[in-house]
Amino acid sequence: MKTVQFREVIAFAFLLVGQAAFSQEKLPQLGHAPVGEIVKKMTLEEKASVIAGTGMRFQGHGTVIGEADGRVPGAAGNTMSLTRFGIPGTVLSDGPAGVRIDPFHKGDSSKSYYATAWPVGTLLASSWDTSLVKKVGIGFGNEIKEYGVDVILAPGMNIQRNPLNGRNFEYFSEDPYVSGYMAAAMVNGIQSNGVGTSIKHFAANNQESNRNSVSAIISERALREIYLRGFEIAVRRAQPMTVMSSYNKINGTYTSESNDLLTKILREEWGFKGMVMTDWFGGHDPVAQMKAGNDLLEPGTPRQQQAIIDAVKNGTLDVKVLDQNVERVLTYILKTPSFKKYNYSNLPDLKAHAALARKAAADGMVLLKNNNAALPLNKGLKVALFGIASYKTITGGTGSGEVNVAYVVSIEDGLSHTGYTPDQGLKSKYDAQIQDDLKAHPKKMLTLGTPRLVPELDLNANDIQKAAEQNDVAILTISRNAGEGADRKVADFNLSDAEKVQVKTIADAFHAKSKKLIIVLNIGGVIETVSWKDNADAILLAWQPGLEAGNSVADVLSGSVNPSGKLAQTFPVKYEDVPSAKSFPGTPVDRPAESIYNEGIYVGYRYFNTFGVKTAYPFGYGLSYTKFAYSNLKLSSPVFGKKLAASITITNTGKVAGKEVVELYVSAPHVSLDKPSEELKAFGKTGLLKPGQSQTLTLTLNPKDLASFNTSASAWIANAGKYVVKIGASSEDIKLSKPFSLVKSITVEKVHKALVPQVAIDELKK
Ligand code: BGC
């Protein structure tokens, strides 16, 4: 009896294997058959599984980790595999400042998987150097690939509408042109490795307060010119493999459910060819998401899959729509290293990447003040180093934009490596404070909300006095940190009373001995500077510079790198001067349902310049250890034809080699629409010019650079009239200008009527 049963089982097994082989043969395989053929053979359940990721599990101490096939622990999510069609799973990982994966694998502590913490987006933008950002992208992309990741959930490129947005550090600028060009450079660099990017968060995710459901109420013009323009530039110039829709609504509709945004604008107008994915658990209605063109739901839930299946069955979702979403996911998978079975090493060249991070960070730091050539500092000096972040330097912000790093070079380490001698008494006090704090508050893997900082040491006047006697110079680091899940408060924008007292006490003690105070800002977002800046001899805005932080700071302070960064956002005199200060983060304030962007197009310098509001440091501003002369501005023609080229000669008239960022602004004629007094339309950066050396840069204007979005015509129109090219060292420091004219108005582009606000917006007008 037993034998018979066994034989039967064997026979049945053969039958099954035979059938499987037979059906396998007949089934189209990804890469061998057109994706449409594969989709035709899929069951409805299989289709529903392809458009949803495989979910997330929650680990200890509040950490959320994507399943990612278990291949890359710590990755944020993945796509589903379907072996009968030869479809592999793919891996999606955060984030904008480096690959956010677990540094160790369970049961294997012999090997680590640390990643490079690159300088944050805000710092990279401050370099105004797209070729440098592309280089960072190339290194970053190699690391993504060698750690087995298919798509990096980056770059972040929302507009820095308000300084309090907790995620500003992940983003580039208040200006869409800078944001778009930086993002394009990063995407092109990363994707040159054959891995993908996901530009995010599309769009108008300009705050963390109630980010999951707040509705950003924005005029069509402000959307087109400010909040979408950077994404448009990035899509047109770099074709990111994927786009991540945002959590928020725009004018009442979740972005992930907006056909206007994801289909009409992104695909039909801009020609986006890739796949759109949600932000994690973003949006509300999976069926509406499919219809909108949001192809992939991340991290994916069984409930979403079921909703799709039900909707197809009850006729509320046309299966053709779903088929198209599935096709887009499959087309994406075809491009990935996972599909190509790339044999990743888990051994990226971390040393080379650290060297690149160090260089990029130094190139994006901004010298805000340098009275009487306080900087650079002679080597060998004894330095009284103040501020927690001098010893525990902040590499980047928190949340999904944080990176697990093997080490951080603190400012103290960097100065020591460079031949300075930090005061040991101060060091031991600060080290003790940091150690005590670490014991009381061990580091968590992923923190959402306002991050905790080690409290500043409350040094007394005697300690400071002693330090002034024993050292040659004071360096004080002022720090801030923020991240996903919470916006900053005005109190975080301002320095506390204690901080201000400390700045003044240190300044007085050192100045009394004719010694200088250098202030380093280790911050991820804009802060108030006017109330204390007079106390400092020099201020270096170091931003959050990544893992080589201290080396980069020391490179600049010592003069081995001449600072060449400029601000990609305005530093206002006070928070209340920011045009969105009254409406941010919306109403009701504790959990805003609505955020009305009534400053319209007047974001950042567009506001400060047009309305003549004084700034602390304007957009585009940054000093150097040398000086530059601007001369010989020439336009290719006094009349705009199809294009117009402006050339300008920059000469290093100082004593040390340096690089200069050149900004091209355009003033447009006021015909029918309100216009900012000037808008950035092109920029360039010289190479390293030796003293006396010149370089001529040529910057080009296209018709769209002259156009404004005309809402009633749903078109980008460049009005006939007199324009002015203004070449500036900052938005407030215009060195040379020249007029040109446009004889006949041009309708540059006619677009869809889309994303129309349903409520009246009382928009700011000049
Ligand atoms: C963030 C995204 C991130 C995703 C995956 C979300 O909470 O908003 O930026 O890529 O999580 O970690």
Side-chain angles (χ1 to χ4, degrees), residues 150-187:
D150 294 292
V151 170
I152 192 84
L153 305 172
M157 54 175 306
N158 292 101
I159 291 295
Q160 296 173 344
R161 172 183 177 235
N162 184 290
L164 301 189
N165 178 6
R167 293 185 86 171
N168 274 350
F169 72 96
E170 295 184 57
Y171 306 145
F172 295 116
S173 172
E174 69 185 23
D175 177 80
Y177 194 88
V178 176
S179 302
Y181 276 79
M182 289 299 155
M186 182 58 91
V187 169

Tab-separated table of all heavy atoms in Angstrom, residues 150-187:
chain	number	residue	atom	x	y	z
A	150	ASP	N	18.634	49.332	-6.994
A	150	ASP	CA	18.254	49.678	-8.368
A	150	ASP	C	17.891	51.146	-8.531
A	150	ASP	O	18.199	51.750	-9.556
A	150	ASP	CB	17.066	48.815	-8.804
A	150	ASP	CG	17.443	47.357	-8.896
A	150	ASP	OD1	18.229	47.010	-9.789
A	150	ASP	OD2	16.986	46.559	-8.045
A	151	VAL	N	17.189	51.686	-7.537
A	151	VAL	CA	16.746	53.082	-7.631
A	151	VAL	C	17.016	53.788	-6.316
A	151	VAL	O	16.650	53.282	-5.245
A	151	VAL	CB	15.233	53.172	-7.930
A	151	VAL	CG1	14.732	54.605	-7.776
A	151	VAL	CG2	14.932	52.694	-9.337
A	152	ILE	N	17.634	54.946	-6.404
A	152	ILE	CA	17.828	55.760	-5.211
A	152	ILE	C	16.677	56.768	-5.152
A	152	ILE	O	16.327	57.376	-6.160
A	152	ILE	CB	19.216	56.451	-5.225
A	152	ILE	CG1	19.533	57.060	-3.860
A	152	ILE	CG2	19.360	57.497	-6.315
A	152	ILE	CD1	20.115	56.115	-2.881
A	153	LEU	N	16.082	56.887	-3.985
A	153	LEU	CA	14.919	57.771	-3.823
A	153	LEU	C	15.437	59.196	-3.636
A	153	LEU	O	15.438	59.755	-2.544
A	153	LEU	CB	14.069	57.279	-2.659
A	153	LEU	CG	13.651	55.809	-2.827
A	153	LEU	CD1	12.973	55.283	-1.569
A	153	LEU	CD2	12.751	55.619	-4.035
A	154	ALA	N	15.902	59.755	-4.709
A	154	ALA	CA	16.603	61.043	-4.701
A	154	ALA	C	16.780	61.491	-6.149
A	154	ALA	O	16.651	60.665	-7.052
A	154	ALA	CB	17.975	60.868	-4.050
A	155	PRO	N	17.137	62.725	-6.420
A	155	PRO	CA	17.312	63.816	-5.460
A	155	PRO	C	15.978	64.425	-5.020
A	155	PRO	O	14.992	64.357	-5.730
A	155	PRO	CB	18.119	64.842	-6.273
A	155	PRO	CG	17.767	64.563	-7.701
A	155	PRO	CD	17.518	63.097	-7.785
A	156	GLY	N	16.014	65.021	-3.816
A	156	GLY	CA	14.875	65.810	-3.340
A	156	GLY	C	14.985	67.187	-3.974
A	156	GLY	O	16.081	67.749	-4.026
A	157	MET	N	13.888	67.694	-4.478
A	157	MET	CA	14.026	68.974	-5.191
A	157	MET	C	12.822	69.886	-5.031
A	157	MET	O	12.501	70.655	-5.939
A	157	MET	CB	14.350	68.729	-6.656
A	157	MET	CG	13.403	67.823	-7.396
A	157	MET	SD	13.805	67.717	-9.163
A	157	MET	CE	13.818	69.415	-9.653
A	158	ASN	N	12.195	69.832	-3.866
A	158	ASN	CA	11.125	70.808	-3.641
A	158	ASN	C	11.723	72.197	-3.431
A	158	ASN	O	12.887	72.342	-3.072
A	158	ASN	CB	10.265	70.383	-2.456
A	158	ASN	CG	9.484	69.123	-2.784
A	158	ASN	OD1	9.860	68.030	-2.377
A	158	ASN	ND2	8.439	69.258	-3.562
A	159	ILE	N	10.891	73.187	-3.657
A	159	ILE	CA	11.355	74.569	-3.524
A	159	ILE	C	11.419	74.949	-2.049
A	159	ILE	O	10.509	74.647	-1.274
A	159	ILE	CB	10.381	75.505	-4.289
A	159	ILE	CG1	10.509	75.270	-5.799
A	159	ILE	CG2	10.603	76.977	-3.938
A	159	ILE	CD1	11.854	75.630	-6.405
A	160	GLN	N	12.500	75.598	-1.669
A	160	GLN	CA	12.626	76.062	-0.281
A	160	GLN	C	11.785	77.329	-0.130
A	160	GLN	O	12.279	78.440	-0.147
A	160	GLN	CB	14.098	76.302	0.055
A	160	GLN	CG	14.906	75.002	-0.006
A	160	GLN	CD	16.393	75.215	0.162
A	160	GLN	OE1	16.891	76.328	0.046
A	160	GLN	NE2	17.128	74.145	0.418
A	161	ARG	N	10.481	77.087	0.013
A	161	ARG	CA	9.532	78.212	0.053
A	161	ARG	C	9.658	79.001	1.345
A	161	ARG	O	9.502	80.213	1.362
A	161	ARG	CB	8.117	77.642	-0.076
A	161	ARG	CG	7.031	78.666	0.144
A	161	ARG	CD	5.637	78.040	0.085
A	161	ARG	NE	4.630	79.036	0.375
A	161	ARG	CZ	3.702	78.926	1.320
A	161	ARG	NH1	3.640	77.841	2.082
A	161	ARG	NH2	2.843	79.895	1.522
A	162	ASN	N	9.932	78.275	2.422
A	162	ASN	CA	9.980	78.900	3.749
A	162	ASN	C	11.139	78.271	4.525
A	162	ASN	O	11.320	77.052	4.462
A	162	ASN	CB	8.636	78.628	4.455
A	162	ASN	CG	8.559	79.313	5.797
A	162	ASN	OD1	9.239	78.936	6.752
A	162	ASN	ND2	7.732	80.343	5.886
A	163	PRO	N	11.906	79.091	5.254
A	163	PRO	CA	13.093	78.533	5.934
A	163	PRO	C	12.769	77.481	6.999
A	163	PRO	O	13.651	76.735	7.408
A	163	PRO	CB	13.752	79.746	6.587
A	163	PRO	CG	12.922	80.921	6.292
A	163	PRO	CD	11.783	80.537	5.407
A	164	LEU	N	11.514	77.411	7.427
A	164	LEU	CA	11.203	76.471	8.516
A	164	LEU	C	10.891	75.058	8.034
A	164	LEU	O	10.763	74.145	8.855
A	164	LEU	CB	10.023	76.993	9.353
A	164	LEU	CG	10.208	78.360	10.020
A	164	LEU	CD1	9.066	78.654	10.973
A	164	LEU	CD2	11.536	78.438	10.763
A	165	ASN	N	10.779	74.834	6.747
A	165	ASN	CA	10.516	73.465	6.295
A	165	ASN	C	11.618	72.542	6.811
A	165	ASN	O	12.799	72.750	6.543
A	165	ASN	CB	10.461	73.416	4.765
A	165	ASN	CG	10.243	72.003	4.225
A	165	ASN	OD1	10.024	71.062	5.002
A	165	ASN	ND2	10.311	71.851	2.937
A	166	GLY	N	11.217	71.510	7.552
A	166	GLY	CA	12.191	70.612	8.185
A	166	GLY	C	13.052	69.840	7.199
A	166	GLY	O	14.095	69.308	7.567
A	167	ARG	N	12.623	69.740	5.948
A	167	ARG	CA	13.397	68.967	4.981
A	167	ARG	C	14.144	69.840	3.982
A	167	ARG	O	14.646	69.322	2.974
A	167	ARG	CB	12.498	67.974	4.224
A	167	ARG	CG	11.950	66.894	5.105
A	167	ARG	CD	11.166	65.847	4.321
A	167	ARG	NE	12.035	64.819	3.783
A	167	ARG	CZ	11.583	63.694	3.206
A	167	ARG	NH1	10.295	63.494	3.084
A	167	ARG	NH2	12.423	62.786	2.757
A	168	ASN	N	14.250	71.117	4.259
A	168	ASN	CA	14.946	71.987	3.297
A	168	ASN	C	16.353	71.502	2.989
A	168	ASN	O	16.846	71.664	1.875
A	168	ASN	CB	15.014	73.424	3.820
A	168	ASN	CG	13.764	74.224	3.457
A	168	ASN	OD1	12.940	73.771	2.673
A	168	ASN	ND2	13.617	75.397	4.040
A	169	PHE	N	17.024	70.911	3.973
A	169	PHE	CA	18.409	70.475	3.739
A	169	PHE	C	18.500	69.481	2.581
A	169	PHE	O	19.504	69.386	1.898
A	169	PHE	CB	19.005	69.863	5.021
A	169	PHE	CG	18.440	68.495	5.359
A	169	PHE	CD1	19.098	67.346	4.974
A	169	PHE	CD2	17.246	68.372	6.053
A	169	PHE	CE1	18.575	66.088	5.267
A	169	PHE	CE2	16.717	67.133	6.352
A	169	PHE	CZ	17.374	65.990	5.958
A	170	GLU	N	17.414	68.718	2.371
A	170	GLU	CA	17.415	67.728	1.290
A	170	GLU	C	17.215	68.384	-0.070
A	170	GLU	O	17.437	67.763	-1.101
A	170	GLU	CB	16.278	66.715	1.485
A	170	GLU	CG	16.417	65.852	2.719
A	170	GLU	CD	15.321	64.800	2.826
A	170	GLU	OE1	15.162	63.994	1.887
A	170	GLU	OE2	14.617	64.784	3.850
A	171	TYR	N	16.708	69.606	-0.052
A	171	TYR	CA	16.364	70.283	-1.297
A	171	TYR	C	17.461	71.270	-1.672
A	171	TYR	O	18.331	71.584	-0.877
A	171	TYR	CB	15.010	70.973	-1.145
A	171	TYR	CG	13.911	70.035	-0.669
A	171	TYR	CD1	12.899	70.467	0.188
A	171	TYR	CD2	13.893	68.693	-1.073
A	171	TYR	CE1	11.893	69.598	0.620
A	171	TYR	CE2	12.898	67.829	-0.642
A	171	TYR	CZ	11.898	68.284	0.211
A	171	TYR	OH	10.924	67.421	0.632
A	172	PHE	N	17.368	71.792	-2.905
A	172	PHE	CA	18.468	72.601	-3.398
A	172	PHE	C	18.337	74.098	-3.108
A	172	PHE	O	19.275	74.724	-2.660
A	172	PHE	CB	18.624	72.401	-4.906
A	172	PHE	CG	19.028	70.997	-5.298
A	172	PHE	CD1	18.190	70.182	-6.047
A	172	PHE	CD2	20.260	70.483	-4.913
A	172	PHE	CE1	18.569	68.895	-6.417
A	172	PHE	CE2	20.652	69.191	-5.276
A	172	PHE	CZ	19.796	68.404	-6.032
A	173	SER	N	17.175	74.665	-3.413
A	173	SER	CA	17.151	76.119	-3.516
A	173	SER	C	15.738	76.683	-3.430
A	173	SER	O	14.756	75.960	-3.574
A	173	SER	CB	17.778	76.491	-4.873
A	173	SER	OG	17.642	77.855	-5.165
A	174	GLU	N	15.663	77.996	-3.257
A	174	GLU	CA	14.380	78.696	-3.358
A	174	GLU	C	14.040	78.998	-4.819
A	174	GLU	O	12.958	79.468	-5.115
A	174	GLU	CB	14.428	80.007	-2.563
A	174	GLU	CG	15.347	81.063	-3.179
A	174	GLU	CD	15.511	82.319	-2.339
A	174	GLU	OE1	15.297	82.258	-1.116
A	174	GLU	OE2	15.866	83.363	-2.913
A	175	ASP	N	15.005	78.752	-5.705
A	175	ASP	CA	14.831	79.097	-7.114
A	175	ASP	C	14.676	77.833	-7.971
A	175	ASP	O	15.471	76.902	-7.855
A	175	ASP	CB	16.069	79.884	-7.589
A	175	ASP	CG	15.963	80.207	-9.056
A	175	ASP	OD1	15.257	81.169	-9.399
A	175	ASP	OD2	16.553	79.469	-9.866
A	176	PRO	N	13.665	77.819	-8.828
A	176	PRO	CA	13.418	76.616	-9.630
A	176	PRO	C	14.498	76.335	-10.661
A	176	PRO	O	14.748	75.178	-10.995
A	176	PRO	CB	12.092	76.931	-10.338
A	176	PRO	CG	11.910	78.402	-10.249
A	176	PRO	CD	12.643	78.853	-9.022
A	177	TYR	N	15.136	77.379	-11.136
A	177	TYR	CA	16.162	77.195	-12.155
A	177	TYR	C	17.373	76.472	-11.541
A	177	TYR	O	17.875	75.487	-12.085
A	177	TYR	CB	16.542	78.570	-12.708
A	177	TYR	CG	17.316	78.498	-13.973
A	177	TYR	CD1	16.676	78.444	-15.205
A	177	TYR	CD2	18.703	78.464	-13.949
A	177	TYR	CE1	17.397	78.353	-16.386
A	177	TYR	CE2	19.426	78.373	-15.114
A	177	TYR	CZ	18.774	78.330	-16.328
A	177	TYR	OH	19.496	78.235	-17.485
A	178	VAL	N	17.809	76.963	-10.382
A	178	VAL	CA	18.941	76.303	-9.697
A	178	VAL	C	18.540	74.863	-9.351
A	178	VAL	O	19.288	73.915	-9.598
A	178	VAL	CB	19.348	77.070	-8.416
A	178	VAL	CG1	20.446	76.318	-7.662
A	178	VAL	CG2	19.821	78.478	-8.751
A	179	SER	N	17.341	74.701	-8.793
A	179	SER	CA	16.883	73.353	-8.401
A	179	SER	C	16.882	72.418	-9.602
A	179	SER	O	17.369	71.286	-9.521
A	179	SER	CB	15.451	73.389	-7.852
A	179	SER	OG	15.379	74.240	-6.757
A	180	GLY	N	16.332	72.887	-10.701
A	180	GLY	CA	16.205	72.032	-11.880
A	180	GLY	C	17.553	71.626	-12.447
A	180	GLY	O	17.773	70.456	-12.778
A	181	TYR	N	18.465	72.590	-12.541
A	181	TYR	CA	19.774	72.266	-13.112
A	181	TYR	C	20.601	71.383	-12.187
A	181	TYR	O	21.335	70.502	-12.633
A	181	TYR	CB	20.518	73.545	-13.531
A	181	TYR	CG	20.074	73.956	-14.912
A	181	TYR	CD1	18.869	74.628	-15.102
A	181	TYR	CD2	20.809	73.587	-16.030
A	181	TYR	CE1	18.424	74.952	-16.381
A	181	TYR	CE2	20.372	73.908	-17.314
A	181	TYR	CZ	19.176	74.591	-17.477
A	181	TYR	OH	18.732	74.894	-18.742
A	182	MET	N	20.480	71.612	-10.888
A	182	MET	CA	21.205	70.757	-9.936
A	182	MET	C	20.652	69.326	-9.987
A	182	MET	O	21.401	68.356	-10.009
A	182	MET	CB	21.049	71.307	-8.509
A	182	MET	CG	21.818	72.575	-8.285
A	182	MET	SD	23.587	72.291	-8.536
A	182	MET	CE	24.116	73.914	-8.968
A	183	ALA	N	19.334	69.226	-9.997
A	183	ALA	CA	18.722	67.894	-10.029
A	183	ALA	C	19.099	67.166	-11.312
A	183	ALA	O	19.443	65.979	-11.293
A	183	ALA	CB	17.203	68.009	-9.904
A	184	ALA	N	19.063	67.897	-12.432
A	184	ALA	CA	19.404	67.254	-13.707
A	184	ALA	C	20.842	66.737	-13.679
A	184	ALA	O	21.132	65.622	-14.124
A	184	ALA	CB	19.212	68.242	-14.855
A	185	ALA	N	21.749	67.546	-13.117
A	185	ALA	CA	23.154	67.128	-13.056
A	185	ALA	C	23.290	65.875	-12.184
A	185	ALA	O	24.007	64.923	-12.531
A	185	ALA	CB	24.009	68.261	-12.484
A	186	MET	N	22.591	65.865	-11.062
A	186	MET	CA	22.664	64.720	-10.152
A	186	MET	C	22.085	63.465	-10.813
A	186	MET	O	22.676	62.384	-10.772
A	186	MET	CB	21.904	65.074	-8.860
A	186	MET	CG	21.928	64.025	-7.796
A	186	MET	SD	23.589	63.575	-7.265
A	186	MET	CE	23.840	64.712	-5.931
A	187	VAL	N	20.927	63.622	-11.461
A	187	VAL	CA	20.287	62.470	-12.115
A	187	VAL	C	21.187	61.943	-13.233
A	187	VAL	O	21.428	60.731	-13.338
A	187	VAL	CB	18.892	62.873	-12.663
A	187	VAL	CG1	18.328	61.775	-13.563
A	187	VAL	CG2	17.932	63.185	-11.508
